[in-house]
Short mmCIF file of all heavy atoms in Angstrom, two decimals:
data_model
loop_
_atom_site.label_atom_id
_atom_site.label_comp_id
_atom_site.label_asym_id
_atom_site.label_seq_id
_atom_site.Cartn_x
_atom_site.Cartn_y
_atom_site.Cartn_z
N TRP A 149 -19.21 7.11 40.79
CA TRP A 149 -19.44 5.73 40.36
C TRP A 149 -18.18 4.92 40.62
O TRP A 149 -17.07 5.42 40.43
CB TRP A 149 -19.78 5.70 38.87
CG TRP A 149 -20.44 4.42 38.46
CD1 TRP A 149 -19.82 3.24 38.12
CD2 TRP A 149 -21.83 4.17 38.36
NE1 TRP A 149 -20.74 2.29 37.81
CE2 TRP A 149 -21.99 2.83 37.95
CE3 TRP A 149 -22.97 4.96 38.56
CZ2 TRP A 149 -23.25 2.26 37.75
CZ3 TRP A 149 -24.20 4.40 38.36
CH2 TRP A 149 -24.34 3.06 37.96
N LYS A 150 -18.37 3.68 41.01
CA LYS A 150 -17.24 2.78 41.25
C LYS A 150 -16.76 2.21 39.92
O LYS A 150 -17.55 1.64 39.15
CB LYS A 150 -17.63 1.64 42.20
CG LYS A 150 -18.01 2.10 43.59
CD LYS A 150 -16.82 2.65 44.30
CE LYS A 150 -17.15 3.04 45.73
NZ LYS A 150 -16.06 3.75 46.38
N LEU A 151 -15.48 2.35 39.64
CA LEU A 151 -14.92 1.75 38.43
C LEU A 151 -15.01 0.23 38.47
O LEU A 151 -15.09 -0.41 37.42
CB LEU A 151 -13.46 2.18 38.24
CG LEU A 151 -13.26 3.62 37.76
CD1 LEU A 151 -11.78 3.97 37.79
CD2 LEU A 151 -13.85 3.83 36.39
N SER A 152 -15.04 -0.35 39.66
CA SER A 152 -15.21 -1.80 39.78
C SER A 152 -16.59 -2.23 39.30
O SER A 152 -16.82 -3.41 39.05
CB SER A 152 -14.97 -2.26 41.22
OG SER A 152 -15.82 -1.55 42.11
N ASP A 153 -17.51 -1.27 39.14
CA ASP A 153 -18.85 -1.55 38.62
C ASP A 153 -19.07 -0.83 37.28
O ASP A 153 -20.19 -0.47 36.93
CB ASP A 153 -19.89 -1.08 39.66
CG ASP A 153 -21.26 -1.67 39.42
OD1 ASP A 153 -21.37 -2.72 38.74
OD2 ASP A 153 -22.25 -1.08 39.91
N LEU A 154 -17.98 -0.63 36.53
CA LEU A 154 -18.03 0.11 35.28
C LEU A 154 -18.95 -0.56 34.25
O LEU A 154 -19.66 0.13 33.52
CB LEU A 154 -16.62 0.28 34.70
CG LEU A 154 -16.50 1.09 33.42
CD1 LEU A 154 -17.06 2.50 33.60
CD2 LEU A 154 -15.06 1.15 32.96
N ASP A 155 -18.96 -1.87 34.21
CA ASP A 155 -19.81 -2.56 33.22
C ASP A 155 -21.27 -2.17 33.38
O ASP A 155 -21.98 -1.96 32.39
CB ASP A 155 -19.63 -4.07 33.31
CG ASP A 155 -18.25 -4.52 32.86
OD1 ASP A 155 -17.58 -3.77 32.14
OD2 ASP A 155 -17.84 -5.63 33.25
N ARG A 156 -21.73 -2.03 34.62
CA ARG A 156 -23.13 -1.64 34.85
C ARG A 156 -23.37 -0.21 34.39
O ARG A 156 -24.42 0.10 33.83
CB ARG A 156 -23.48 -1.81 36.33
CG ARG A 156 -24.98 -1.74 36.59
CD ARG A 156 -25.35 -2.23 37.99
NE ARG A 156 -24.80 -1.43 39.04
CZ ARG A 156 -25.37 -0.33 39.56
NH1 ARG A 156 -26.53 0.09 39.11
NH2 ARG A 156 -24.79 0.33 40.54
N LEU A 157 -22.39 0.68 34.60
CA LEU A 157 -22.52 2.06 34.11
C LEU A 157 -22.64 2.07 32.59
O LEU A 157 -23.49 2.77 32.03
CB LEU A 157 -21.31 2.90 34.55
CG LEU A 157 -21.27 4.34 34.03
CD1 LEU A 157 -22.38 5.17 34.66
CD2 LEU A 157 -19.91 4.96 34.29
N LEU A 158 -21.80 1.30 31.91
CA LEU A 158 -21.80 1.30 30.44
C LEU A 158 -23.06 0.69 29.85
O LEU A 158 -23.37 0.92 28.69
CB LEU A 158 -20.55 0.58 29.92
CG LEU A 158 -19.22 1.19 30.35
CD1 LEU A 158 -18.06 0.43 29.74
CD2 LEU A 158 -19.14 2.67 30.04
N GLU A 159 -23.81 -0.07 30.64
CA GLU A 159 -25.08 -0.63 30.18
C GLU A 159 -26.22 0.38 30.22
O GLU A 159 -27.26 0.17 29.60
CB GLU A 159 -25.45 -1.84 31.03
CG GLU A 159 -24.53 -3.03 30.82
CD GLU A 159 -24.75 -4.14 31.84
OE1 GLU A 159 -25.62 -4.01 32.73
OE2 GLU A 159 -24.03 -5.15 31.75
N ARG A 160 -26.03 1.49 30.90
CA ARG A 160 -27.09 2.49 31.04
C ARG A 160 -27.39 3.14 29.69
O ARG A 160 -26.48 3.38 28.89
CB ARG A 160 -26.69 3.56 32.05
CG ARG A 160 -26.62 3.07 33.47
CD ARG A 160 -26.15 4.16 34.39
NE ARG A 160 -27.01 5.34 34.29
CZ ARG A 160 -27.60 5.93 35.33
NH1 ARG A 160 -27.43 5.45 36.55
NH2 ARG A 160 -28.34 7.01 35.16
N GLU A 161 -28.64 3.48 29.47
CA GLU A 161 -29.05 4.13 28.23
C GLU A 161 -28.60 5.58 28.15
O GLU A 161 -28.58 6.16 27.06
CB GLU A 161 -30.56 4.03 28.05
CG GLU A 161 -31.01 2.61 27.75
CD GLU A 161 -32.48 2.52 27.40
OE1 GLU A 161 -33.11 3.55 27.09
OE2 GLU A 161 -33.01 1.39 27.44
N VAL A 163 -25.58 6.63 28.96
CA VAL A 163 -24.12 6.65 28.80
C VAL A 163 -23.82 6.15 27.39
O VAL A 163 -23.75 4.96 27.14
CB VAL A 163 -23.42 5.76 29.86
CG1 VAL A 163 -21.90 5.77 29.66
CG2 VAL A 163 -23.77 6.20 31.26
N ILE A 169 -16.75 6.67 27.10
CA ILE A 169 -16.60 5.23 27.31
C ILE A 169 -15.14 4.82 27.13
O ILE A 169 -14.58 4.09 27.95
CB ILE A 169 -17.54 4.45 26.36
CG1 ILE A 169 -19.00 4.72 26.76
CG2 ILE A 169 -17.23 2.96 26.38
CD1 ILE A 169 -20.03 4.26 25.74
N LEU A 172 -13.02 6.01 30.14
CA LEU A 172 -13.27 5.21 31.34
C LEU A 172 -12.61 3.83 31.23
O LEU A 172 -12.03 3.34 32.20
CB LEU A 172 -14.77 5.09 31.60
CG LEU A 172 -15.47 6.37 32.03
CD1 LEU A 172 -16.98 6.19 32.02
CD2 LEU A 172 -14.97 6.84 33.39
N LEU A 173 -12.69 3.22 30.07
CA LEU A 173 -12.06 1.91 29.88
C LEU A 173 -10.53 2.02 29.96
O LEU A 173 -9.88 1.15 30.55
CB LEU A 173 -12.49 1.28 28.56
CG LEU A 173 -13.96 0.82 28.51
CD1 LEU A 173 -14.36 0.45 27.09
CD2 LEU A 173 -14.19 -0.33 29.47
N ARG A 176 -9.67 2.42 33.68
CA ARG A 176 -9.76 1.15 34.41
C ARG A 176 -8.54 0.27 34.11
O ARG A 176 -7.94 -0.30 35.02
CB ARG A 176 -11.05 0.41 34.06
CG ARG A 176 -11.19 -0.90 34.84
CD ARG A 176 -12.52 -1.56 34.67
NE ARG A 176 -12.70 -2.05 33.31
CZ ARG A 176 -13.79 -2.69 32.90
NH1 ARG A 176 -14.80 -2.89 33.70
NH2 ARG A 176 -13.88 -3.10 31.65
N GLU A 180 -5.78 -0.97 36.86
CA GLU A 180 -5.58 -2.41 37.08
C GLU A 180 -4.10 -2.78 36.97
O GLU A 180 -3.66 -3.73 37.60
CB GLU A 180 -6.38 -3.22 36.07
CG GLU A 180 -7.87 -3.22 36.33
CD GLU A 180 -8.70 -3.87 35.22
OE1 GLU A 180 -8.15 -4.13 34.13
OE2 GLU A 180 -9.90 -4.06 35.45
#
Side-chain angles (χ1 to χ4, degrees):
W149 198 276
K150 296 292 184 188
L151 286 173
S152 56
D153 197 21
L154 183 58
D155 292 339
R156 194 167 63 88
L157 176 68
L158 300 182
E159 291 170 0
R160 292 177 56 127
E161 290 187 16
V163 179
I169 293 168
L172 291 170
L173 290 170
R176 182 172 68 179
E180 287 172 349

